[in-house]
Each structure stands twice: as C-alpha cells, then as structure tokens.
C-alpha cells in the first residue's frame, strides 16, 4: 500500500510548502511502492531551522540528565518496535531482516549510552596560578545541528549524530537519504512518541538540494554528514567558508589482510560477512582481500565455493543471505566497475552478473563478485565501488601487506587475520585506518566506541563513544577571582616585576 508521508517541523507533521513529492520504492521488488515523501525546498528548511532555534532556548537549559530520561524513553520505544521497524526498513533499503534488526539495535545501544552520558558531561577544574582564584572549563551546547545521513544504516547512523547532539542540549534538523525516507520518519516518530518536545527535532525530506539548504543556512551552527567523499568535500568547503563545525564520514576501501598463519576457516567466515553483508554497501565493507601467497590458492578456492552458494533475495524472506543494491544508479556503477576490472586484466573468478530467476527478477540484484590477480594500481583496488565486489591482492610478506593496505586514499576500517601476536600488534600501529580488527572482519563497530577514519575518509572527528560529546559541545573556560583585588595573570605572580633591566 502506498502512503503519503510528511515532514515533521515544530512538532507538526506537514507537507512540503510546494506540495511536491518524490516516490520511494522497494529495491528488491520494484513494483512495491513504499510511498510518496515531501520533496522539500529552502522554505521548509528555513521553517525547520527557525523552529529548532526557538526550541534551543528551553532545551539547552533543561538539566542534562532530564534530557537523558527522554533518550532512555527513546531506547525503550525502539526496543518495543525493533522487529516492526526492521521489517519496514528492509522493505525500503533491502538488507536482510536480521542485519536490519542489528541496525535498530545499534540505535538502541546509542540511546542508552547517550542517556548515561548526560550524567557525565564533564568539565575540568584546574589550579589557578594566582591565589584565591578558581579555574574551570564547562561545556555548552552549540545550537542547531544539521544532520545529513546515508541510506545503508538508515536508523543507526542518524542516531550516532542526533542522540549525542540532543544529549548535549542542541536541537536538530535532520535530512535522511532520499533512498530511505521512511526509515528516517519511523525514527523521528519513535522520538516524538518518547517525549522529545516540538521544535527540538525536525525532519525535512528530500534530495541533495535540501542538504545544501541545511548546510548553507546561516542559523545552522553544526553539520554532520555521512556519504560520499565528493559530496563531503563540498560540504567541508561550505562549512569552512561559514565557520561551521563539521564532521564528515566518507568513503572507504577497507582491507582484510590474511597472513600465512591465519585460521582460514575463521577468515573465510569473516570475509563473507565483511564483503557481502549489506551487499557490500557499508562504508566499512571489506572490499580488498590482501592475502599471503602461501595460502592464496587454497583460500581463494574456499572463498569462490562459499560465495557462489550465497542466496540472493528479498531481505524480508528468511532464506535470504544477500539483498539487492539500493537503486538503479548503484547497479549501473557496479556493472561499470566489473567491466573496468576485466579491462584492467584482473581475473573474475565468480559472479559478475545481474542474476535471473524467481525472487531476483523484480529488483536491483547483482551477484557477489570476486576478482583475483588484482594489482595495487588498478582502479578496482583503489576506488570505492559500494557493492558486492571484492578485489584479491597477493602479497609475500607482512611489509608488503601493509604497503598495499595503505596504498589508497581512504582509511576507515581494516582487519588482519594472524595467530602471531607480534604481527597483530605491529598491524595495529602500521595500518592507516581509524579502525583495525584483529581476527575479525572490517565491519562490526560498537556504539560506545569511537568510529571514523583517516585520510580522505573524514576530517579528523570521531562519531560514537565518548569523543562525539566533544564535537557537540563548545568549551567555555571560566575564571572565578574571589580575592577581592585585581590580580594580573603572568605579571603579579612572577618574581621579576621589581627590577627593570638597565638600558
Ligand atoms: C556504515 O557503513 O556507514 O561497523 C556504518 C559497521 C556498522 C556501522 C557501519 N556497525 O559496519
């Protein structure tokens, strides 16, 4: 059944001012239309930002633990709705139901963590250099946060941004991906039901133009974006010009290194999950296997056999292991890269086709695809494909593995399989990435740990964990002088004030 959906501005569900809409379809069963969503414009964004600015007055003054109680309610409501939401989310963006339940669970974990952090928004007290004087730093909320996120974790990733922003006393204007507007709306509905006051949280649906209007709105103080490196660079530029705080979570080309002493069964299980989970459409997906020559042929054989058995289908069918890709454009990009891989001289050992048959004919499906004989300079070894395509690179030493792993512009996640503790610890330091897994795949970040990457993957900030609370607060330094006299720092407390050196 197709429905007409709305924006959520100042506590009211409403159409876009222009009344324009866009359609959202099921990527596995294209005839299944999820609904029509508001195609918002500058005017809607302006209304949302003004509502958020008004609401900031009272929300920022509410005791933080009281905001925490609301965040806890959100966690409870998401827990109650986990299965129902996951079903609708899978219908909209395709990944298997079990994975989508994990997506909602990540949001639940983030809610409870954020609730507890509201009792821990620490500042510092520090001795003054002067007598009868007290120094401290406190945190202050910043203002209105513009949150723009991707479709692949349509609930978890927005909550990494929205929950800490709210916990710290900021208000929010949120634009979900136009490929997952319903999931975004379900999250906002849960939050409104949990007692987030009107105006504190606003939802404006639409495409890139809405994102641009949020980024460029003079009354938006903070921007948080997850998406492509190309769009992230533009957002970073705009925010730089306007002196806005910005966090960017961008692309990845995440390597899994398998050394000659690795437990190959364990590595295989991890690789299938890392490379083909979410149909390879995670920023953390394993897109490069860097494998020691001693175990290359054996492991590649195991990998080919297992990959060919993966069952493609609609994510809400119990037997499905790999869902569709998100849309036609994504499918075309993947097809293009497979051709690039062939033209570059890599060997395609499995997959490579749009599958045919019951359960896959009606959607945007692509077979799990593996290229061997890939060299580090090939485009399929360097560029993010965001699909079920794995590049296998053969190496003959640990040093070469690290050189190949680091030979890309990105640096989000990484992994190494080895039983040698020295190799594992060296890799922790040597791999250029924000995240390294030892004997685990490149996916599986936990909500209470910092998440983010180096190089072109980001701009130095981390989401998740304790670090994100620094991003959503401004530090204020406070000096309290209770001496009743004027005390001059750097002057009154030094011993050289009496003697003026002879000229
Ligand atoms: C993303 O791909 O944007 O570690 C986020 C993981 C998930 C989050 C992925 N927990 O793969």
């Amino acid at each position: 059944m197709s429905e007409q959906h709305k924006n959520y501005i100042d506590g009211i569900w409403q159409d876009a001012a222009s009344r324009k809409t866009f359609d959202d379809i099921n990527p596995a069963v294209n005839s299944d239309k999820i609904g029509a969503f508001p195609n918002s414009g500058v005017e809607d964004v302006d209304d949302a930002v003004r509502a958020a600015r008004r609401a900031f007055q009272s929300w920022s003054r509410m005791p933080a633990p009281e905001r925490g109680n609301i965040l806890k309610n959100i966690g409870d409501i998401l827990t109650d709705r986990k299965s129902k939401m996951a079903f609708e989310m899978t219908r909209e963006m395709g990944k298997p139901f079990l994975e989508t339940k994990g997506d909602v669970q990540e949001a639940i974990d983030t809610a409870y963590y954020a609730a507890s952090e509201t009792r821990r928004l620490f500042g510092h007290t520090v001795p003054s250099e002067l007598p009868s004087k007290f120094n401290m730093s406190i945190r202050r909320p910043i203002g209105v946060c513009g949150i723009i996120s991707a479709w692949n974790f349509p609930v978890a990733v927005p909550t990494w941004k929205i929950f800490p922003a709210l916990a710290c006393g900021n208000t929010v204007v949120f634009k979900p991906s136009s490929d997952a507007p319903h999931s975004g709306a379900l999250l906002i509905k849960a939050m409104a039901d949990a007692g987030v006051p009107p105006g504190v949280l606003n939802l404006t649906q639409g495409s890139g133009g809405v994102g641009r209007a949020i980024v460029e709105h003079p009354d938006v103080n903070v921007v948080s974006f997850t998406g492509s490196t190309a769009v992230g660079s533009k957002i970073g530029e705009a925010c730089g010009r306007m002196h806005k705080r910005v966090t960017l979570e961008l692309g990845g080309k995440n390597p899994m290194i398998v050394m000659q002493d690795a437990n190959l069964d364990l590595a295989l299980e991890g690789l299938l999950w890392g490379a083909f989970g979410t149909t390879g459409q995670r920023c953390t997906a394993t897109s490069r296997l860097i494998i020691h020559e001693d175990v290359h042929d054996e492991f590649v054989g195991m990998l080919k056999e297992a990959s060919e058995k993966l069952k493609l289908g609609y994510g809400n069918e119990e037997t499905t292991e790999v869902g569709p890709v998100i849309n036609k454009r994504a499918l075309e990009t993947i097809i293009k890269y497979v051709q690039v891989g062939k033209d570059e001289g890599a060997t395609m050992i499995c997959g490579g086709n749009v599958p045919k048959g019951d359960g896959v004919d009606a959607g945007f499906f692509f077979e799990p695809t593996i290229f061997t004989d890939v060299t580090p300079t090939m485009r399929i070894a360097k560029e993010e494909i965001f699909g079920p395509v794995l590049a296998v690179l053969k190496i003959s030493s640990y040093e070469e593995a690290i050189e190949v792993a680091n030979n890309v512009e990105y640096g989000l996640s990484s992994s190494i399989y080895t039983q040698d503790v020295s190799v594992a610890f060296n890799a922790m330091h040597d791999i250029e990435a924000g995240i390294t897994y030892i004997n685990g795949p490149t996916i599986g970040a936990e909500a209470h740990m910092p998440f983010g990457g180096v190089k072109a993957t980001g701009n130095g900030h981390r989401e998740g964990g304790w670090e994100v609370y620094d991003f959503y607060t401004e530090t204020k330094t406070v000096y309290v002088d209770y001496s009743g006299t004027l005390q001059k720092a750097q002057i009154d407390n030094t011993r050289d004030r009496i003697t003026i050196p002879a000229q």
Side-chain angles (χ1 to χ4, degrees):
M1 194 190 59
S2 168
E3 278 179 59
Q4 171 75 45
H5 294 269
K6 295 183 188 289
N7 284 332
Y8 183 70
I9 298 175
D10 212 6
I12 297 165
W13 291 94
Q14 51 191 275
D15 293 324
S18 66
R19 313 254 157 204
K20 285 190 191 147
T21 60
F22 66 95
D23 287 342
D24 180 31
I25 60 163
N26 179 335
V29 186
N30 295 169
S31 55
D32 176 22
K33 190 172 143 190
I34 313 294
F37 289 80
N39 200 351
S40 311
V42 174
E43 206 180 329
D44 305 294
V45 169
D46 193 48
D47 283 350
V49 174
R50 275 194 280 141
R53 175 59 55 194
R54 281 193 301 276
F56 180 71
Q57 297 305 324
S58 52
W59 182 251
S60 58
R61 284 179 167 75
M62 183 187 274
E66 223 179 289
R67 295 194 295 261
N69 290 338
I70 297 176
L71 286 158
K72 182 188 166 293
N73 290 345
I74 297 171
D76 293 346
I77 289 185
L78 291 175
T79 305
D80 286 348
R81 298 183 187 173
K82 182 171 162 181
S83 286
K84 274 199 174 140
M85 276 179 70
F87 182 88
E88 287 303 325
M89 289 159 65
T90 286
R91 186 177 158 218
E92 175 173 62
M93 52 75 204
K95 67 185 175 190
F97 181 63
L98 201 71
E99 286 183 38
T100 310
K101 278 191 14 184
D103 190 322
V104 183
Q105 186 57 47
E106 203 162 338
I108 295 166
D109 298 341
T110 304
Y112 292 142
Y113 184 82
S116 73
E117 278 295 307
T118 59
R119 291 180 182 268
R120 251 190 321 263
L121 294 172
F122 297 136
H124 289 94
T125 63
V126 185
S128 168
E129 62 186 44
L130 291 161
S132 300
K133 196 176 168 201
F134 187 87
N135 295 354
M136 63 186 156
S137 69
I138 59 170
R139 288 164 187 263
R140 300 178 72 232
I142 305 173
V144 177
C145 303
I147 308 287
I148 306 166
S149 71
W151 63 267
N152 61 339
F153 276 78
V155 165
V157 170
T159 68
W160 291 359
K161 305 168 186 297
I162 296 174
F163 293 170
L166 295 185
C168 294
N170 304 286
T171 55
V172 164
V173 176
F174 169 42
K175 187 199 99 63
S177 159
S178 53
D179 283 312
H182 193 211
S183 304
L186 290 172
L187 171 64
I188 296 315
K189 174 92 176 51
M191 294 181 69
D193 292 348
V196 175
V200 169
L201 173 67
N202 304 276
L203 170 74
T204 50
Q205 302 278 15
S207 53
V210 180
R212 197 171 318 121
I214 291 174
V215 170
E216 290 181 354
H217 197 293
D219 230 7
V220 169
N221 312 91
V222 178
V223 173
S224 179
F225 172 75
T226 295
S228 72
T229 297
V231 174
S233 301
K234 288 197 189 124
I235 291 178
E237 268 174 44
C239 289
R241 230 184 311 114
M242 299 180 80
H243 309 291
K244 295 187 182 191
R245 189 176 288 208
V246 58
T247 179
L248 304 169
E249 287 302 338
L250 311 173
K253 191 73 185 174
N254 312 293
M256 175 191 285
I257 299 173
V258 175
M259 295 304 291
Q260 69 275 34
D261 65 337
N263 175 336
L264 294 187
D265 292 322
L266 187 68
L268 177 65
E269 222 184 321
L271 184 56
L272 293 172
W273 178 230
F276 302 127
T278 321
T279 323
Q281 302 167 105
R282 295 193 191 205
C283 348
T284 52
T286 311
S287 46
R288 293 182 295 151
L289 167 66
I290 298 172
I291 182 153
H292 196 277
E293 59 187 1
D294 290 358
V295 288
H296 176 277
D297 293 354
E298 182 188 355
F299 191 71
V300 163
M302 291 159 68
L303 177 60
K304 174 174 156 54
E305 197 189 328
S307 304
E308 281 172 344
K309 284 196 193 128
L310 291 170
K311 168 98 175 64
L312 272 66
Y314 177 28
N316 279 329
E317 302 285 346
E318 224 165 293
T319 51
T320 296
E321 291 171 301
V322 179
V325 298
I326 187 64
N327 56 32
K328 190 157 179 278
R329 199 157 33 105
L331 187 59
E332 284 165 1
T333 303
I334 293 162
I335 292 169
K336 184 193 85 186
Y337 269 109
V338 166
Q339 191 55 48
V340 168
K342 289 180 190 165
D343 293 346
E344 285 178 316
T347 312
M348 199 173 72
I349 59 158
C350 71
N353 297 304
V354 171
K356 303 227 173 318
D358 273 359
V360 290
D361 275 346
F364 306 118
F365 287 90
F366 198 80
E367 291 171 349
T369 302
I370 300 170
F371 282 99
T372 56
D373 302 317
V374 178
T375 58
T377 53
M378 289 182 183
R379 285 181 64 196
I380 58 164
K382 293 167 84 156
E383 297 174 19
E384 184 178 48
I385 301 174
F386 220 65
V389 182
L390 176 72
V392 182
L393 298 106
K394 199 196 296 188
I395 46 91
S396 55
S397 66
Y398 168 77
E399 289 71 26
E400 191 186 356
I402 296 298
E403 200 184 308
V404 170
N406 291 343
N407 186 41
V408 289
E409 62 169 324
Y410 301 112
L412 180 53
S413 190
S414 58
S415 129
I416 183 162
Y417 280 76
T418 178
Q419 320 238 24
D420 182 332
V421 73
S422 315
V423 170
F425 270 83
N426 275 315
M428 267 185 237
H429 294 285
D430 294 341
I431 300 178
E432 293 169 356
I435 306 169
T436 294
Y437 292 87
I438 310 292
N439 292 327
T442 57
I443 69 177
E446 300 177 23
H448 59 294
M449 296 296 286
F451 180 96
V454 302
K455 305 201 288 196
T457 291
N459 63 336
H461 291 289
R462 292 291 178 270
E463 304 199 281
W466 51 96
E467 289 199 14
V468 72
Y469 293 83
D470 292 335
F471 178 76
Y472 286 105
T473 49
E474 200 90 73
T475 300
K476 155 95 53 106
T477 305
V478 182
Y479 298 102
V480 184
D481 190 328
Y482 56 98
S483 69
T485 57
L486 170 66
Q487 303 196 81
K488 304 188 198 87
Q490 294 92 37
I491 295 170
D492 288 348
N493 54 330
T494 56
R495 295 187 189 286
D496 62 359
R497 62 180 180 267
I498 298 159
T499 343
I500 297 171
Q503 298 299 305

